């Protein structure tokens, strides 16, 4: 392992990638973190540090970038999410799996120090226990996104067992951020609802009012990712995917929390195909193993997340 890490972030312009890239640059320095994506709509983000265009299915260019920047770690965030994946399942499988296998092969060949692969609560299915879903449980995903994440977890475990690749993985709940717009996930209502609350005091939700889903505020997701990646290897007991949890709520409950700040805000419900996806996922997650193995702790609850989201989104609206 080198004394100075050089990190490649694949899918850096996505919801998680934008904020994780900033956090990594704050730790390692902007010249040691290379952000990549197939395209980036934010010119300011591209100018904050090193940026390279990369199609994650292009293994040769990925390997060339690893050589060019003497990369020691890869954070592989590129993926097609749940709702969009159901619209084009074959391409979603191709993108999600080929890109990961490119990363794992490069890690094996170049003997990289660490690999990060994000999994999701999408790996769970209808027969998974809904309340406090345990670390080890029945996993029968019902979406191509979930199937690809389950397969990805096992590929990471395989490369660790067979080749010693230090691949680490978290099963994220729904992620909520004020920095990026919704990206096609089933849990994205919990981001969009804030924009609609500020824009017109009303929101039509594509899930029913009592649909509980595990959620997490983005600062906690970034913190959890870095905590996992900075933990000593001997503390990582699970090489498929660690359950990760923070808060769980329904559209009705987040509406009530928003109404504490915007009393005139109203919500209506028109469930669509995403309802079936949400119904296949847990209501809440047991992440005891992550807390025991490497000291995971979340910082935001529903009330503090809502307050912080509204404060920061109001600044964006004013600037716009």
């Amino acid at each position: 392992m080198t004394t100075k890490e050089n990190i490649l972030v694949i899918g850096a312009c996505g919801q998680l990638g934008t904020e994780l890239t900033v956090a990594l640059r704050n730790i390692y320095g902007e010249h040691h973190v290379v952000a990549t994506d197939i395209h980036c709509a934010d010119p300011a983000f591209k100018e904050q540090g090193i940026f390279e265009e990369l199609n994650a299915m292009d293994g040769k260019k990925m390997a060339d970038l690893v050589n060019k920047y003497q990369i020691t770690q890869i954070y592989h965030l590129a993926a097609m999410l749940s709702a969009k994946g159901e619209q084009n399942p074959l391409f979603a499988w191709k993108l999600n799996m080929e890109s990961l296998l490119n990363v794992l092969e490069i890690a094996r060949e170049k003997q990289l120090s660490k690999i990060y692969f994000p999994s999701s609560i999408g790996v769970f299915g209808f027969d998974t226990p809904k309340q406090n879903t345990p670390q080890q449980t029945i996993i029968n995903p019902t979406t191509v996104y979930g199937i690809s994440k389950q397969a990805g977890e096992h590929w990471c475990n395989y490369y660790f067992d067979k080749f010693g690749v230090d691949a680490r993985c978290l099963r994220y709940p729904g992620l909520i951020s004020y920095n990026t717009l919704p990206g096609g996930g089933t849990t994205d209502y919990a981001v969009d609802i804030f924009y609609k609350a500020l824009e017109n005091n009303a929101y039509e939700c594509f899930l029913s009012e009592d649909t509980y889903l595990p959620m997490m505020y983005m600062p906690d997701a970034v913190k959890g990712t870095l905590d996992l990646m900075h933990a000593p290897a001997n503390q990582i007991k699970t090489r498929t995917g660690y359950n990760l949890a923070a808060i769980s709520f329904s559209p009705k409950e987040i509406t009530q929390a928003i109404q504490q700040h915007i009393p005139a805000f109203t919500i209506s419900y028109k469930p669509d195909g995403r309802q079936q996806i949400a119904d296949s996922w847990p209501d809440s997650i047991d992440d005891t193993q992550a807390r025991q193995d490497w000291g995971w702790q979340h910082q935001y609850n529903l009330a503090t997340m809502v307050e912080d989201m509204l404060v920061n989104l109001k600044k964006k609206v004013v600037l716009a």
Side-chain angles (χ1 to χ4, degrees), residues 119-137:
S119 188
S120 161
I121 59 172
V123 300
F124 301 122
F126 285 105
D127 49 1
T128 301
K130 299 284 282 184
Q131 303 293 333
N132 294 319
T133 303
Q135 177 68 47
Q136 302 296 332
T137 189

Side-chain angles (χ1 to χ4, degrees), residues 23-242:
L24 288 166
R25 284 174 173 159
N26 288 338
I27 295 169
Y28 295 99
E30 64 180 23
H31 298 298
H32 293 277
V33 179
V34 180
T36 72
D37 214 314
I38 193 167
H39 60 79
C40 188
D42 184 358
F45 179 79
K46 293 173 68 173
E47 294 169 2
Q48 289 171 2
I50 303 170
F51 180 85
E52 296 269 5
E53 288 190 356
L54 173 66
N55 182 333
M57 292 188 289
D58 187 345
K60 182 182 184 305
K61 184 169 183 181
M62 189 185 295
D64 289 343
L65 291 176
V66 168
N67 290 333
K68 177 180 178 180
Y69 293 103
Q70 297 182 307
I71 296 299
T72 60
Q73 296 185 30
I74 298 178
Y75 285 67
H76 175 51
L77 311 178
M80 184 173 285
L81 301 181
S82 56
K84 284 189 175 180
E86 291 308 286
Q87 296 170 14
N88 197 345
L90 294 182
F91 180 73
W93 174 260
K94 183 179 178 67
L95 169 62
N96 294 358
M97 298 314 304
E98 283 190 15
S99 60
L100 173 60
L101 290 171
N102 285 338
V103 170
L104 289 170
E105 269 297 281
I106 289 169
R108 179 184 66 81
E109 292 172 359
K110 308 293 185 182
Q111 296 185 317
L112 303 189
S113 66
K114 293 177 193 174
I115 297 301
Y116 179 70
F117 171 70
S119 188
S120 161
I121 59 172
V123 300
F124 301 122
F126 285 105
D127 49 1
T128 301
K130 299 284 282 184
Q131 303 293 333
N132 294 319
T133 303
Q135 177 68 47
Q136 302 296 332
T137 189
I138 299 169
I139 294 181
N140 288 313
T142 59
T143 64
V144 67
Y145 172 72
I147 294 168
S148 68
K149 288 300 184 183
Q150 181 190 24
E153 288 188 14
H154 287 286
W155 274 114
C156 288
N157 187 65
Y158 180 87
Y159 269 75
F160 173 73
D161 284 342
K162 297 291 184 179
F163 308 117
V165 173
D166 188 353
R168 306 183 182 194
C169 179
L170 294 173
R171 293 172 181 159
Y172 290 116
L175 300 182
I176 301 171
S177 168
Y178 58 82
N179 278 319
T180 51
L181 293 170
T186 301
T187 57
D188 277 348
Y189 89 86
V191 179
D192 196 31
I193 193 171
F194 288 98
Y195 287 90
K196 297 301 190 295
L198 291 172
E199 290 168 0
N200 53 26
N201 279 351
Y203 177 61
E204 182 179 87
C205 186
F206 54 76
L207 299 179
S208 63
E209 66 175 6
D210 292 321
T211 302
Y212 280 84
L213 287 169
M215 298 283 189
M216 180 175 289
Y217 197 30
M218 186 60 74
D220 276 335
V222 171
K223 175 182 180 295
T225 306
L226 295 175
D227 286 351
L228 173 75
M229 291 298 282
H230 292 155
N234 61 7
Q235 292 182 4
I236 308 303
K237 309 297 185 184
T238 295
R239 293 289 175 168
T240 47
Y242 273 102

